[in-house]
Amino acid sequence: MSVDTRDRPDWERDGHDWPHRAASRFVTAGGLSWHVQEFGPADAPVLLLLHGTGAANHSWRGFAPLLAGSFRVIAPDLPGHGFTDPLPDGTLSLPGMAKAVSALVQGLGVAPAIVAGHSAGAAILARMCLDGMVAPRLFAAFNGALAPLPGAASFLFPSMARLLFLNPFTPRFFAWTADSAAVRRLIEGTGSRLDPVGLDLYRRLFARAGHVRGALGMMANWDLDRLHRDLPRLATRTLLIVGGDDKAISPDTAFTLVKRLPDARVKLVRGLGHLAHEEAPECVAEILLEEARALGIVSAPG
């Protein structure tokens, strides 16, 4: 089942004023055309950023430039999201997404010193670390989706997403109803508050059925049980940054997870929700920088 290419976000139409458009380029890797943004000097340690489900690399619009003085920051749109091609339906699983991102990393010829992901993006990076696709010195998860949903939700949520994904009319229905008020309610439902520009970027994406289908396909094929079982062998130094007001993923999840990880710590940021890195990019960037300095990945100022 495919979506008309006219239903996908178009770079000239929807991206004409995309944040940091000058930092964008399109890269072919693993059979896909990827929209990638890069910041910072080419010879600096590489920081790979992955956004979460339903977003695109605009999620890092305030965050990435703050790290550009210390890193070569690479922020792609995930497959089926934003301006990156979708994966075939049979490869939308967590391992499938991890393999696709690994192909991009290989295509770019980089070896990330730090990998950092928000929500589902963190799950992809954890899978990549576990399977040896990347070998960073630090893995950072911003409100990471690293554990199955509690109770019956772990079964009902993917099943419901699968039913919606298989219905060809669902993405168009969501796109038709994606007005500014609906997007604001959706974002505020995660415990976050964004400025009008941030809300409009999400509205612009949700108004395209192809982007909605990419997000639904990702959720429909998401199985965190295996990842959760494998986490105790994640040897990579791990930093779990958690918004205290996150309504999408309970902050308690991180404090439970840290006990199962060999080398990890939690940093709780009070007053921020699921999109903490968009609400307060300076605060979250400084937390990541402090960890990078402590590990000797970058030098302290002066």
Side-chain angles (χ1 to χ4, degrees):
M1 188 186 306
S2 63
V3 171
D4 192 315
T5 54
R6 291 172 295 181
D7 288 339
R8 292 214 37 82
D10 178 79
W11 183 238
E12 298 306 321
R13 176 190 60 204
D14 302 302
H16 69 280
D17 59 348
W18 201 249
H20 310 299
R21 184 182 167 101
S24 291
R25 65 185 176 116
F26 287 83
V27 177
T28 300
L32 304 179
S33 173
W34 297 76
H35 173 228
V36 180
Q37 290 195 331
E38 292 196 31
F39 306 84
D43 58 351
V46 173
L47 166 61
L48 174 64
L49 298 176
L50 294 189
H51 64 78
T53 309
N57 60 18
H58 79 279
S59 186
W60 309 109
R61 67 190 176 100
F63 182 86
L66 298 173
L67 281 302
S70 301
F71 297 97
R72 176 185 175 186
V73 182
I74 298 175
D77 288 347
L78 288 173
H81 291 66
F83 304 98
T84 292
D85 287 346
L87 282 170
D89 290 353
T91 57
L92 288 172
S93 63
L94 177 53
M97 280 283 190
K99 289 177 182 176
V101 176
S102 177
L104 173 64
V105 171
Q106 292 178 25
L108 293 172
V110 296
I114 300 179
V115 295
H118 170 244
S119 194
I124 294 171
L125 291 171
R127 188 74 266 166
M128 292 173 69
C129 290
L130 285 163
D131 294 346
M133 298 176 183
V134 287
R137 295 182 59 188
L138 175 65
F139 162 50
F142 306 152
N143 296 302
L146 302 175
L149 294 170
S154 64
F155 302 100
L156 294 176
F157 184 75
S159 298
M160 186 177 298
R162 193 171 296 114
L163 288 173
L164 294 173
F165 173 69
L166 292 173
N167 185 336
F169 299 105
T170 299
R172 290 184 175 87
F173 174 77
F174 273 86
W176 290 335
T177 59
D179 59 18
S180 298
V183 171
R184 182 181 296 106
R185 289 193 298 271
L186 178 64
I187 297 299
E188 290 181 355
T190 71
S192 289
R193 293 182 179 274
L194 300 183
D195 63 21
V197 174
L199 289 173
D200 183 68
L201 290 165
Y202 278 104
R203 182 205 57 76
R204 197 180 305 182
L205 292 174
F206 293 156
R208 298 298 170 192
H211 177 84
V212 174
R213 189 172 190 274
L216 285 174
M218 194 168 166
M219 291 186 287
N221 291 273
W222 224 234
D223 179 5
L224 291 174
D225 289 331
R226 179 184 169 193
L227 176 66
H228 193 244
R229 289 195 302 268
D230 288 347
L231 284 178
R233 62 178 182 84
L234 180 63
T236 309
R237 171 68 176 173
T238 301
L239 175 64
L240 304 174
I241 302 175
V242 182
D245 291 344
D246 190 349
K247 296 179 182 177
I249 299 174
S250 171
D252 293 341
T253 303
F255 290 95
T256 301
L257 279 173
V258 75
K259 300 174 185 177
R260 305 182 68 243
L261 294 165
D263 184 12
R265 73 179 184 96
V266 178
K267 178 65 175 180
L268 178 67
V269 186
R270 300 188 185 278
L272 299 177
H274 190 60
L275 298 169
H277 63 289
E278 294 193 51
E279 293 180 274
E282 296 88 355
C283 173
V284 179
E286 186 56 36
I287 293 170
L288 185 65
L289 270 173
E290 286 178 1
E291 193 76 7
R293 291 166 185 155
L295 293 173
I297 299 172
V298 296
S299 301

